[in-house]
CSV table of all heavy atoms in Angstrom, one decimal:
chain,number,residue,atom,x,y,z
J,463,LEU,N,-19.0,-10.8,7.1
J,463,LEU,CA,-18.3,-9.6,7.2
J,463,LEU,C,-18.3,-9.1,8.7
J,463,LEU,O,-17.2,-8.6,9.1
J,463,LEU,CB,-19.0,-8.5,6.3
J,463,LEU,CG,-18.9,-8.7,4.8
J,463,LEU,CD1,-19.9,-7.7,4.1
J,463,LEU,CD2,-17.5,-8.6,4.3
J,464,ALA,N,-19.4,-9.2,9.3
J,464,ALA,CA,-19.4,-8.7,10.7
J,464,ALA,C,-18.4,-9.4,11.6
J,464,ALA,O,-17.8,-8.9,12.5
J,464,ALA,CB,-20.9,-8.9,11.3
J,465,ALA,N,-18.3,-10.8,11.4
J,465,ALA,CA,-17.4,-11.6,12.2
J,465,ALA,C,-15.9,-11.1,12.0
J,465,ALA,O,-15.1,-11.1,12.9
J,465,ALA,CB,-17.5,-13.1,11.9
J,466,VAL,N,-15.6,-10.8,10.7
J,466,VAL,CA,-14.2,-10.3,10.5
J,466,VAL,C,-14.0,-9.0,11.2
J,466,VAL,O,-13.0,-8.8,11.8
J,466,VAL,CB,-14.0,-10.2,8.9
J,466,VAL,CG1,-12.6,-9.5,8.7
J,466,VAL,CG2,-14.0,-11.5,8.2
J,467,GLY,N,-15.0,-8.1,11.1
J,467,GLY,CA,-14.9,-6.8,11.8
J,467,GLY,C,-14.7,-7.0,13.3
J,467,GLY,O,-13.9,-6.3,13.9
J,468,GLU,N,-15.4,-7.9,13.9
J,468,GLU,CA,-15.3,-8.1,15.3
J,468,GLU,C,-13.9,-8.6,15.7
J,468,GLU,O,-13.3,-8.2,16.7
J,468,GLU,CB,-16.4,-9.1,15.8
J,468,GLU,CG,-17.7,-8.5,15.9
J,468,GLU,CD,-18.8,-9.6,16.0
J,468,GLU,OE1,-18.5,-10.8,16.3
J,468,GLU,OE2,-20.0,-9.3,15.6
J,469,PHE,N,-13.4,-9.5,14.8
J,469,PHE,CA,-12.0,-10.0,15.1
J,469,PHE,C,-11.0,-8.8,15.0
J,469,PHE,O,-10.1,-8.7,15.8
J,469,PHE,CB,-11.7,-11.1,14.1
J,469,PHE,CG,-10.2,-11.6,14.2
J,469,PHE,CD1,-9.8,-12.4,15.3
J,469,PHE,CD2,-9.3,-11.2,13.3
J,469,PHE,CE1,-8.5,-12.8,15.4
J,469,PHE,CE2,-8.0,-11.6,13.4
J,469,PHE,CZ,-7.6,-12.4,14.5
J,470,ALA,N,-11.1,-8.0,14.0
J,470,ALA,CA,-10.2,-6.9,13.8
J,470,ALA,C,-10.2,-5.9,14.9
J,470,ALA,O,-9.2,-5.5,15.5
J,470,ALA,CB,-10.5,-6.2,12.4
J,471,ALA,N,-11.5,-5.7,15.4
J,471,ALA,CA,-11.7,-4.7,16.5
J,471,ALA,C,-11.2,-5.2,17.8
J,471,ALA,O,-10.6,-4.4,18.6
J,471,ALA,CB,-13.2,-4.3,16.6
J,472,ARG,N,-11.2,-6.5,18.0
J,472,ARG,CA,-10.8,-7.1,19.3
J,472,ARG,C,-9.4,-6.7,19.7
J,472,ARG,O,-9.1,-6.3,20.8
J,472,ARG,CB,-10.8,-8.6,19.1
J,472,ARG,CG,-10.7,-9.4,20.5
J,472,ARG,CD,-10.3,-10.8,20.2
J,472,ARG,NE,-9.0,-11.0,19.7
J,472,ARG,CZ,-8.5,-12.1,19.3
J,472,ARG,NH1,-9.2,-13.2,19.2
J,472,ARG,NH2,-7.2,-12.2,18.8
J,473,ASP,N,-8.5,-6.7,18.7
J,473,ASP,CA,-7.1,-6.3,19.0
J,473,ASP,C,-6.7,-5.0,18.3
J,473,ASP,O,-5.5,-4.7,18.2
J,473,ASP,CB,-6.1,-7.4,18.5
J,473,ASP,CG,-6.3,-8.7,19.2
J,473,ASP,OD1,-6.6,-8.7,20.4
J,473,ASP,OD2,-6.2,-9.8,18.5
J,474,GLY,N,-7.7,-4.2,17.9
J,474,GLY,CA,-7.4,-2.9,17.3
J,474,GLY,C,-6.6,-3.0,16.1
J,474,GLY,O,-5.7,-2.2,15.8
J,475,ARG,N,-6.8,-4.0,15.2
J,475,ARG,CA,-6.0,-4.2,14.0
J,475,ARG,C,-6.7,-3.4,12.9
J,475,ARG,O,-7.9,-3.3,12.8
J,475,ARG,CB,-6.0,-5.7,13.5
J,475,ARG,CG,-5.4,-6.6,14.5
J,475,ARG,CD,-5.6,-8.1,13.9
J,475,ARG,NE,-5.4,-9.1,14.9
J,475,ARG,CZ,-4.2,-9.7,15.1
J,475,ARG,NH1,-3.1,-9.3,14.4
J,475,ARG,NH2,-4.1,-10.7,16.0
J,476,PRO,N,-5.9,-2.8,12.0
J,476,PRO,CA,-6.5,-2.2,10.8
J,476,PRO,C,-7.2,-3.2,10.0
J,476,PRO,O,-6.8,-4.3,9.9
J,476,PRO,CB,-5.2,-1.6,10.1
J,476,PRO,CG,-4.0,-2.1,10.7
J,476,PRO,CD,-4.4,-2.7,12.1
J,477,LEU,N,-8.2,-2.8,9.3
J,477,LEU,CA,-9.0,-3.6,8.4
J,477,LEU,C,-9.1,-3.0,7.0
J,477,LEU,O,-9.7,-1.8,6.9
J,477,LEU,CB,-10.4,-3.8,9.0
J,477,LEU,CG,-11.4,-4.5,8.2
J,477,LEU,CD1,-11.0,-6.0,7.9
J,477,LEU,CD2,-12.9,-4.5,8.8
J,478,HIS,N,-8.7,-3.6,6.0
J,478,HIS,CA,-8.7,-3.1,4.7
J,478,HIS,C,-9.7,-4.0,3.8
J,478,HIS,O,-9.9,-5.1,4.1
J,478,HIS,CB,-7.3,-3.1,4.0
J,478,HIS,CG,-6.4,-2.0,4.6
J,478,HIS,ND1,-5.6,-1.2,3.8
J,478,HIS,CD2,-6.2,-1.6,5.8
J,478,HIS,CE1,-4.9,-0.4,4.5
J,478,HIS,NE2,-5.2,-0.6,5.8
Side-chain angles (χ1 to χ4, degrees):
L463 292 172
V466 174
E468 283 161 22
F469 174 77
R472 189 197 71 188
D473 295 325
R475 300 178 195 267
L477 172 65
H478 287 223

